Amino acid sequence: MSANRPGPQRAVSKWLLSIVLLLDAVLAVTPLIDRHAATDYEQLFQRAFVTFALARTINGVISAVQGTELALQPAGVGFTLTPGEVLDPVNDLVERFSWIMLGATLSLGIQQVLLDIGQWWVLKTFVAVLALAWIGVSWRRKGAVVGGGGYAWLWRALIVVLLLRFAVPLAMIVNEAVYDLFLEGRYVESTAVIESAEADIEVINEAASATAEAESVFDALGRTFDSTRQSLDFRQKLASISERATDLIEHLLQLGVVFIFQTGLLPIAFLWLFLRLLRNSIRRYS
């Protein structure tokens, strides 16, 4: 801080910063923030795990549908219908979505390691010791808030350990708060629609398979009317599959946005913010 700053204002700055650092020292050795961050992490990880499993299940259902073919002969004209063809775009999207979820899971694994580092007792001890040491040194020296000169290293070390201790837990807490405010409704709705579409496609596929089996068993009976009726019924099933495929595409994209935002963009934004804070704090008080 500037050497010509009025004495009362400099004293207020010392008091405020000392109180903040004393609070940091207390929080560093208590599990309050860690428990909150661990709860938020577990909720995010469970959402990612469930969504990843849902994507793999959808992939299995689509693969089963794509293996279904139905040979029909309405009015004596033979042709084959393949319901899985309308799901090809969905299948490609599910494959890419699975990679997104794999990346989200890896990101969460890295954040878990960083949370463990922040909870290491050695780091907790360093935060408390350096914070108390800075408070003692700053009040024993007159003039600058941090003491300056040979004590600049103390401030730099304190800022580094503070960020190592609190950056990831605080980022996790803020991340979950953003989810609660802006993303939860999108996630819940998309998950429900995808689960419903998956169930509907599976039912339609079972009905189509039963129809195909009936065709092979009674093929010798020759029934033009029944074939025509089954053709129309199957076309309705194809239309239903196409409609559900559209729902799947829309809401898979919505879920992709949620997890890219929570496990990609927000962590990168927090990392940039903390690095800026680290640089500015060291420059200002060194």
Side-chain angles (χ1 to χ4, degrees):
M1 291 204 172
S2 175
N4 60 359
R5 173 170 293 184
Q9 187 175 355
R10 185 168 57 242
V12 170
S13 298
K14 275 191 176 185
W15 273 108
L16 290 177
L17 195 52
S18 297
I19 291 172
V20 169
L21 289 178
L22 185 60
L23 179 61
D24 288 338
V26 173
L27 290 176
V29 296
T30 58
L32 180 62
I33 292 180
D34 296 328
R35 288 175 181 173
H36 195 174
T39 300
D40 291 340
Y41 171 84
E42 185 63 27
Q43 292 175 348
L44 178 54
F45 182 82
Q46 285 298 321
R47 289 197 300 272
F49 180 79
V50 169
T51 306
F52 183 76
L54 181 61
R56 302 312 302 169
T57 302
I58 294 172
N59 183 259
V61 171
I62 292 176
S63 297
V65 174
Q66 288 179 320
T68 301
E69 291 185 351
L70 181 59
L72 297 172
Q73 291 182 333
V77 180
F79 64 94
T80 301
L81 293 175
T82 306
E85 290 179 356
V86 301
L87 292 175
D88 281 338
V90 182
N91 197 32
D92 293 339
L93 180 59
V94 169
E95 290 290 343
R96 287 163 176 75
F97 181 74
S98 297
W99 282 104
I100 291 175
M101 294 312 303
L102 178 60
T105 304
L106 292 175
S107 173
L108 290 174
I110 293 172
Q111 292 179 60
Q112 175 65 72
V113 174
L114 294 176
L115 283 173
D116 291 340
I117 292 174
Q119 297 174 22
W120 189 30
W121 69 270
V122 173
L123 186 59
K124 292 181 178 181
T125 303
F126 267 123
V127 171
V129 170
L130 290 176
L132 294 176
W134 182 92
I135 293 173
V137 168
S138 65
W139 281 101
R140 288 185 62 184
R141 291 173 58 87
K142 297 180 180 180
V145 172
V146 182
Y151 292 96
W153 66 269
L154 179 60
W155 179 252
R156 295 192 184 101
L158 176 58
I159 292 297
V160 170
V161 295
L162 280 174
L163 290 179
L164 289 174
R165 175 67 181 95
F166 293 114
V168 177
L170 290 177
M172 186 63 64
I173 293 171
V174 174
N175 194 337
E176 193 65 13
V178 171
Y179 169 80
D180 292 337
L181 288 173
F182 304 107
L183 301 175
E184 184 176 15
R186 187 189 303 258
Y187 172 82
V188 172
E189 179 186 1
S190 296
T191 302
V193 170
I194 290 173
E195 289 176 345
S196 174
E198 174 197 342
D200 290 346
I201 291 174
E202 192 168 4
V203 169
I204 294 170
N205 180 52
E206 290 174 356
S209 300
T211 302
E213 183 179 352
E215 285 290 331
S216 62
V217 171
F218 298 104
D219 184 56
L221 297 178
R223 60 246 172 292
T224 301
F225 175 77
D226 287 343
S227 294
T228 303
R229 178 182 57 79
Q230 290 167 1
S231 174
L232 294 174
D233 182 63
F234 198 71
R235 287 182 183 277
Q236 292 177 352
K237 291 182 172 63
L238 280 177
S240 180
I241 288 178
S242 179
E243 180 182 352
R244 303 310 280 162
T246 302
D247 291 338
L248 280 173
I249 290 174
E250 177 185 353
H251 289 281
L252 281 172
L253 291 175
Q254 294 280 10
L255 285 181
V257 169
V258 170
F259 284 100
I260 289 175
F261 195 75
Q262 270 208 284
T263 62
L265 296 181
L266 279 181
I268 291 174
F270 288 135
L271 176 62
W272 176 84
L273 179 62
F274 290 136
L275 289 177
R276 292 277 297 184
L277 179 62
L278 172 64
R279 186 178 66 177
N280 291 339
S281 297
I282 290 177
R283 283 181 176 179
R284 183 175 182 181
Y285 293 112
S286 295

